[in-house]
């Protein structure tokens, strides 16, 4: 099983030079264009096994694990999945009566950090209000203009009463633009933050806070799509963006069980199908996604940044884009065309959203808050810093924000099926008429989704 590391552009506002980073390939102009293949990194096997049972977790499973010298990490009886540590492969296989077991892996689900240059928003901005159109950097947020977020706000759409779980590196509860937006009681860490100045689910990286800020902010420096939505932090990735299938599965189950309306997973990996146990790990993840969908939580994922044709690549899985009943989002740039790095495929892409496309200027990327708890960009601890990033990681939360606006409008009837349908039917049709490999049903339109 292998994972492609993908490039993101990193800089901080105000206008500064773009940091050094891996550059994505030229955008494919047709289905015959070869998919870009980045250098892959090997996954690391962990001390934990994931068990996938056909019907239910056996009543004597915990006793069997203990007798074999192992420990139960967590169980998910709703989907007949369990995680245990300290077992040999042979012992795990023997315990998987009426099912299968596979050793879990730690993989890199986010690209490595580049070398950002930093500058903060002026201090007097902090005194300004919550109107998203008055945010200091709103004129630079081409992404909000592209999806006509302002039209949705003018129509009264706010996302109030809707809960969006961000499964990522955590969220920052201290940034001026994030204060008061996170349900701390429902937030959780499957891998603890290394920054002891914040909660265990605090964002010691930066990625999760940037993603969450595209959904909602307080409107001081930047604006999010759904200005009154509540966030739930579900930290499933460590400070470097690494995580296990067990953490992500646990995060999905937790978010669904605390009544998140929407799950956003701006993370992804391409995993080859020939790794022993890979099919079991993917099947367990599929069950978690399907469970969330069944109990009323829409799962949204990024499509990945390798310009890969997901229709034609039969050698691996793009996870979680191609997992279960969730939906997958491709990325557009300011020119409203498919971003040069975005994965695509008619079988995978539901809709597209703005994720940026550098093309020589950081202003073509997406601006959102930087975590004050980041250990990778320590100066962000001074607060009021904002990052320009690009990637399908940035496109997905725009779709999550639009889904939150739709859920706010439809209330109790806003099932995942309704959210999926309304998002697709209201999208601006780009590319070939109807569904196409690059944009799915089209690029999301916040105003059309709620008018």
């Amino acid at each position: 099983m292998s994972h492609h590391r993908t490039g993101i552009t990193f800089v901080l506002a105000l206008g500064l030079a773009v940091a050094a980073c891996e550059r994505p390939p030229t955008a494919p102009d047709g289905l015959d264009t070869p998919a870009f293949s980045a250098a892959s990194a090997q996954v690391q096997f962990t001390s934990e096994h994931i068990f996938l049972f056909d019907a239910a977790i056996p009543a004597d499973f915990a006793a069997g694990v203990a007798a074999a010298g192992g420990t139960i990490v967590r169980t998910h009886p709703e989907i007949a999945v369990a995680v245990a540590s300290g077992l040999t492969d042979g012992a795990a296989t023997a315990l998987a009566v009426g099912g299968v077991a596979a050793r879990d892996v730690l993989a890199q689900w986010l690209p490595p950090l580049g070398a950002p240059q930093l500058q903060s928003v002026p201090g007097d901005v902090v005194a300004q209000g919550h109107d998203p159109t008055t945010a200091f950097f709103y004129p630079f947020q081409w992404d909000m203009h592209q999806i006509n977020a302002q039209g949705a706000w003018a129509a009264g759409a706010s996302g109030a009463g809707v809960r969006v779980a961000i499964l990522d590196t955590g969220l920052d509860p201290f940034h001026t633009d994030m204060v008061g937006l996170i349900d701390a009681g429902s937030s959780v860490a499957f891998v603890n933050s290394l920054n002891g100045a914040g909660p265990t689910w605090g964002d010691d990286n930066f990625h999760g806070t940037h993603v969450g800020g595209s959904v909602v902010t307080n409107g001081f420096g930047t604006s999010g799509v759904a200005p009154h939505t509540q966030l739930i932090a579900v930290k499933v990735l460590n400070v470097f963006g690494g995580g296990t299938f067990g953490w992500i599965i646990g995060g999905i189950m937790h978010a669904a069980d605390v009544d998140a309306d929407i799950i956003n997973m701006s993370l992804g990996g391409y995993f080859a199908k020939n790794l022993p146990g890979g099919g079991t790990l993917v099947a367990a993840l599929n069950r978690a996604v399907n469970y969330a969908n069944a109990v009323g939580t829409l799962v949204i994922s990024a499509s990945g940044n390798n310009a890969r044709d997901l229709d034609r690549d039969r050698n691996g899985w793009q996870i979680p884009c191609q997992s279960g009943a969730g939906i997958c989002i491709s990325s557009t740039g300011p020119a409203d065309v498919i971003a040069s790095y975005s994965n695509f495929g008619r079988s995978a892409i539901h809709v597209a959203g703005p994720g940026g496309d550098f093309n020589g200027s950081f202003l073509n990327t997406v601006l959102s808050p930087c975590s004050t708890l980041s250990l990778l960009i320590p100066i962000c601890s001074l607060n009021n810093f904002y990052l320009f990033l690009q990637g399908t990681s940035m496109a997905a939360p725009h779709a999550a924000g639009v889904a939150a606006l739709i859920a706010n409008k439809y209330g109790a009837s806003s099932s995942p099926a309704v959210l999926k349908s309304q998002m697709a039917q209201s999208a601006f049709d780009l590319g070939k008429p109807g569904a196409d490999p690059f944009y799915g049903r089209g690029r999301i339109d916040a105003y059309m989704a709620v008018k």
Side-chain angles (χ1 to χ4, degrees), residues 115-139:
Q117 299 186 40
L118 316 175
Q119 190 169 356
S120 68
V121 67
D124 58 1
V125 170
V126 176
Q128 297 179 9
H130 189 89
D131 180 351
T133 64
T134 64
F136 185 80
F137 289 118
Y138 182 67

Side-chain angles (χ1 to χ4, degrees), residues 158-185:
S158 70
V162 180
R163 292 157 58 83
V164 179
I166 306 296
L167 271 65
D168 213 292
T169 58
L171 291 172
D172 175 16
F174 306 128
H175 192 288
T176 301
D177 253 326
M178 304 299 287
V179 170
L181 299 179
I182 303 165
D183 178 359

Side-chain angles (χ1 to χ4, degrees), residues 86-114:
L87 298 171
T88 65
D89 291 341
T93 298
L95 287 165
V97 178
V100 290
R103 188 173 288 274
D104 202 355
V105 296
L106 178 69
Q108 185 73 16
W109 298 83
L110 301 178
L113 177 64

Side-chain angles (χ1 to χ4, degrees), residues 169 191-205 235 237-240 373-376:
T169 58
V191 52
N192 288 347
S193 171
L194 298 182
N195 191 329
T200 57
W201 45 263
D203 184 7
D204 50 0
N205 178 273
K235 185 171 172 56
L237 301 180
N238 64 25
V239 65
F240 299 114
L373 297 171
S374 175
L375 297 177
L376 301 187

Side-chain angles (χ1 to χ4, degrees), residues 43 223 232 247 382:
V43 298
S223 295
I232 301 168
W247 297 347
L382 299 178

